[in-house]
Amino acid sequence: MKTNIQFVQMPVSETMESYVHEKLDKLYQKYDWVIKSDVFFKKENDPKGKGKICDVELSLPGPKIYATSNEKNFELAFKESLSDIQKQLKKRKQTMKPHM
């Protein structure tokens, strides 16, 4: 499985990269038909305190799965996006089962 992590207009964080790889490796073990993932971290000026955006896109057989979240820090944003991705993967797996 290939994982691309990009930090858009901000410095690269080794800690976040290792955290993302750790969480996505668990996901790859559970759903072995996932081909690759793209994770984007963006910083946005938001006066309400949020503004840390995480986009996660998974390539798999059929349409891609995509989730985004905007939280007060990148770890929370990634957790929220990953949770959305897992829900979509469960749904996709249920629709794939009758065809297997």
Side-chain angles (χ1 to χ4, degrees), residues 52-67:
K52 309 292 193 288
I53 300 170
C54 176
D55 298 333
V56 179
E57 183 178 286
L58 294 184
S59 296
L60 43 115
K64 291 183 178 182
I65 291 178
Y66 179 80

Side-chain angles (χ1 to χ4, degrees), residues 59-76:
S59 296
L60 43 115
K64 291 183 178 182
I65 291 178
Y66 179 80
T68 186
S69 62
N70 185 357
E71 295 293 334
K72 62 183 177 182
N73 66 41
F74 288 115
E75 189 175 321
L76 282 175

Side-chain angles (χ1 to χ4, degrees), residues 21-74:
H21 281 291
E22 176 188 326
K23 295 295 182 182
L24 287 177
D25 284 343
K26 289 179 184 177
L27 192 74
Y28 290 151
Q29 290 174 3
K30 189 172 182 179
Y31 303 100
D32 58 348
W33 36 271
V34 175
I35 300 167
K36 77 171 194 164
S37 61
D38 295 312
V39 181
F40 300 97
F41 290 103
K42 303 173 195 169
K43 200 174 200 176
E44 189 177 84
N45 292 333
D46 188 3
K48 296 176 186 160
K50 292 189 176 184
K52 309 292 193 288
I53 300 170
C54 176
D55 298 333
V56 179
E57 183 178 286
L58 294 184
S59 296
L60 43 115
K64 291 183 178 182
I65 291 178
Y66 179 80
T68 186
S69 62
N70 185 357
E71 295 293 334
K72 62 183 177 182
N73 66 41
F74 288 115

